[in-house]
Amino acid sequence: MANNLVAYEVSDLCLGKPSLRSLSISSTISEALSELKQSEDNYLSVWNCIDHDHDHDHIKKDQSNLSNNKIITFENCQCVGKISMVDIICFLCKEENLDSPSSALKSPISVLVSMDSGLVQHVEPHTSLIDAIDLILEGAQNLIVPIQSNFNNRKKQQQKSSFKTSHEFCWLTQEDIIRFLLSSIGVFSPLPAYSIESLNLITTECLAIGYDEPASSAIDSITLALKQQTSVAVVDNEGKLIGEISPFTLARCEETVAAAVTTLSSGDLMAYIDCGGPPEDIIRLVKSRLKSRNLEGMLSLMEELNFSGSFSCSSSDEELSSSSPTAPFRRSRHSRSRSYSARMIRRSEAIICNQGSSLVAVMIQALTHRVNYVWVTEDDNTLAGIVTFSDMLSVLREHLQS
C-alpha cells in the first residue's frame, strides 16, 4: 500500500480543483483589492510575463466570465507569488501609508510580492507526490500545476472568441496534501496513533502578543504568520491562551480593518473581527483615535465603505448575521452555503489540543477547521506551543522514506 501511495503524482491531487484567479505583476493594489472582493478565494496568484511587449497577449480578461477572471496562458508567463487581503491590510498599516491610504492603494502589487521568496513553485503534472512534499518542506506554500481546460459546451460557445486555447493552472497547498494523505492514513500505522508530544511535533517558539498590547505591535508577527501559514496567539499576563489574530480571518475582512489594527489593543481587535461584526462602541473608539491622531485619510477610508449592510458570515445562529449593522468582513459576489461560510469565516477563538493528542486527531481537527495549525495548551490553558501541517508532513515523509 505504501508503494501505491508513493506512485501518485500531483495531477492526481488536482482533480476537480478550480483554475487560479490571477493578476499581472503590473496591476495596482487597488485592482488586486477589487479582484479579491469578487473572489471566493483568500489569495490571488501573481504572474509575470517575460515578454512585456506581449503581456496582453498572454494575460487576457475573459469578457464572458462574470467574475472577470484573468486567464494566464502557459507560454512566457510564470507565477511569481500570491497576495491576500492580509498583505494589503499590513501594507496600509505601515507608518508611511497611514496618512494617505488611498494613495497607497495606487501602488503596484509588486511591492507586496517577494519575487525570490520561493513561496510558490511551478511543477509538472507528472511530479511525484514525494517530490511535492519535499518542495513543501523546503518552504513552498503553493505548487503551481498546469491543468487542461475543460469547459462545457455552453461555456465553450460563450468563450470561443475570448481567448486562445491553452493551459490553465491550479495550485496545491499543504492542506491538499494532508487531506490526501489522511485518506490513506492506514499506510502510516502505527504512527497516526502516537501522541504529538512523543513525535516531537510541538514547536514551543510561536508568535504571541499580550491581550492589552497594541495590535499595531503585532503587524510584523501577522506578516510572518501569513508566510508561515500559522497565526498570532493572544495571551494574558500568565501566558494563558485567550484567542488569536489569524491571517485566515483577516483575509476575509475589508481593507478598513487596517484602521482597527492601527488604533486598538489586541484584545479589542479580536472583538472587532469576530463573527457578527464589531460592536458600535469599538467602532466609535477607532474613529475617535483616528481623529486624535489626525489620520483623516484612514478615517475617510472607513467612512467610504460606511460599514453599511449586514455581516456576510453565516453561522449556526442566522440572526447573528442579520442583527449587526456593521461589516468588517468583505462580501463575495457569489453567495455561499451556510456550512461553507461557517468553515471559511471563523471566530477569533483559537483551535487547541493537548500534548497527549494523537497525530491523526490533530490532523482531523485542523482539516475540519480549515487551518494549517493547532495550538497546544496545558491543562490550565497555558500556551505550550503549536503543531503545524509542515511538522506533520515532515514526520509522514520520514515514514514513507523508511
Side-chain angles (χ1 to χ4, degrees):
M1 293 210 31
N3 289 336
N4 291 337
L5 190 61
V6 172
Y8 279 106
E9 301 176 345
V10 294
S11 58
D12 298 313
L13 280 67
C14 291
L15 297 176
K17 290 188 69 68
S19 58
L20 291 179
R21 292 183 65 90
S22 312
L23 280 177
S24 167
I25 192 67
S26 61
S27 302
T28 65
I29 296 177
S30 180
E31 289 173 327
L33 188 60
S34 177
E35 287 285 329
L36 282 166
K37 288 183 177 182
Q38 296 181 65
S39 174
E40 293 198 11
D41 295 327
N42 285 345
Y43 296 93
L44 294 174
S45 58
V46 180
W47 292 73
N48 186 35
C49 290
I50 298 174
D51 188 353
H52 292 285
D53 293 334
H54 296 89
D55 186 64
H56 293 291
D57 293 333
H58 297 291
I59 301 182
K60 296 188 175 183
K61 183 176 292 186
D62 172 12
Q63 300 296 334
S64 64
N65 190 331
L66 294 177
S67 66
N68 291 327
N69 191 20
K70 296 181 180 180
I71 306 300
I72 308 298
T73 65
F74 187 71
E75 48 191 311
N76 297 329
C77 291
Q78 183 179 22
C79 181
V80 294
K82 62 178 184 177
I83 62 170
S84 73
M85 189 66 76
V86 186
D87 295 298
I88 297 175
I89 291 170
C90 290
F91 181 71
L92 292 178
C93 288
K94 290 185 176 182
E95 193 67 33
E96 62 268 26
N97 296 327
L98 292 177
D99 287 332
S100 183
S102 58
S103 297
L105 291 175
K106 296 177 183 178
S107 304
I109 60 173
S110 57
V111 301
L112 303 180
V113 179
S114 179
M115 301 289 284
D116 59 350
S117 65
L119 295 182
V120 296
Q121 294 281 346
H122 279 262
V123 297
E124 295 298 329
H126 56 75
T127 300
S128 70
L129 174 62
I130 295 299
D131 288 342
I133 293 175
D134 287 341
L135 287 172
I136 293 289
L137 293 178
E138 290 169 6
Q141 285 189 8
N142 297 77
L143 303 181
I144 309 297
V145 187
I147 57 175
Q148 201 65 39
S149 302
N150 290 312
F151 302 106
N152 58 38
N153 291 334
R154 180 179 63 83
K155 287 187 176 180
K156 282 183 179 180
Q157 291 174 359
Q158 291 176 334
Q159 299 175 348
K160 61 183 179 181
S161 61
S162 298
F163 56 91
K164 59 186 178 183
T165 302
S166 184
H167 283 89
E168 292 183 15
F169 301 84
C170 72
W171 59 21
L172 296 178
T173 64
Q174 293 181 10
E175 179 184 344
D176 293 321
I177 295 177
I178 287 288
R179 193 177 298 277
F180 186 80
L181 294 179
L182 182 62
S183 66
S184 302
I185 197 65
V187 171
F188 300 94
S189 182
L191 194 69
Y194 292 167
S195 72
I196 54 175
E197 182 180 33
S198 66
L199 293 171
N200 295 318
L201 290 180
I202 303 172
T203 301
T204 55
E205 294 183 4
C206 46
L207 301 170
I209 186 172
Y211 183 87
D212 295 319
E213 292 183 54
S216 58
S217 64
I219 293 175
D220 289 342
S221 293
I222 293 171
T223 301
L224 184 56
L226 178 66
K227 182 177 180 180
Q228 296 177 346
Q229 297 183 293
T230 57
S231 186
V232 181
V234 178
V235 298
D236 65 13
N237 294 333
E238 297 177 351
K240 294 183 179 180
L241 183 64
I242 304 298
E244 65 177 359
I245 301 174
S246 167
F248 186 88
T249 301
L250 290 174
R252 307 303 299 177
C253 293
E254 297 281 0
E255 67 273 21
T256 53
V257 170
V261 175
T262 301
T263 57
L264 297 178
S265 68
S266 298
D268 285 339
L269 179 62
M270 286 198 302
Y272 190 95
I273 64 177
D274 205 356
C275 187
E280 288 289 350
D281 59 335
I282 295 186
I283 295 176
R284 288 194 296 268
L285 179 62
V286 171
K287 290 184 176 181
S288 173
R289 289 179 176 176
L290 289 175
K291 289 179 182 178
S292 66
R293 293 175 58 180
N294 295 318
L295 296 177
E296 297 297 332
M298 191 67 74
L299 183 61
S300 297
L301 184 66
M302 284 186 69
E303 293 177 344
E304 281 177 14
L305 293 183
N306 68 30
F307 292 89
S308 63
S310 61
F311 181 49
S312 60
C313 169
S314 296
S315 67
S316 57
D317 295 321
E318 189 65 23
E319 61 272 12
L320 181 65
S321 64
S322 59
S323 63
S324 174
T326 58
F329 289 89
R330 60 187 172 91
R331 292 169 179 250
S332 168
R333 186 180 61 81
H334 302 283
S335 61
R336 295 181 175 91
S337 68
R338 179 182 303 183
S339 60
Y340 184 79
S341 296
R343 292 199 312 269
M344 294 303 290
I345 304 178
R346 298 187 297 106
R347 292 179 178 271
S348 299
E349 182 180 355
I351 309 303
I352 64 173
C353 67
N354 58 58
Q355 299 179 46
S357 298
S358 67
L359 171 60
V360 67
V362 176
M363 288 174 66
I364 293 173
Q365 192 175 11
L367 290 171
T368 299
H369 292 281
R370 301 298 302 273
V371 291
N372 288 40
Y373 60 91
V374 176
W375 298 107
V376 184
T377 60
E378 305 285 358
D379 292 339
D380 63 353
N381 209 43
T382 301
L383 181 62
I386 191 172
V387 177
T388 67
F389 276 163
S390 180
D391 297 325
M392 300 176 198
L393 282 174
S394 179
V395 169
L396 296 174
R397 173 67 176 88
E398 289 179 8
H399 184 86
L400 287 177
Q401 189 173 20
S402 63

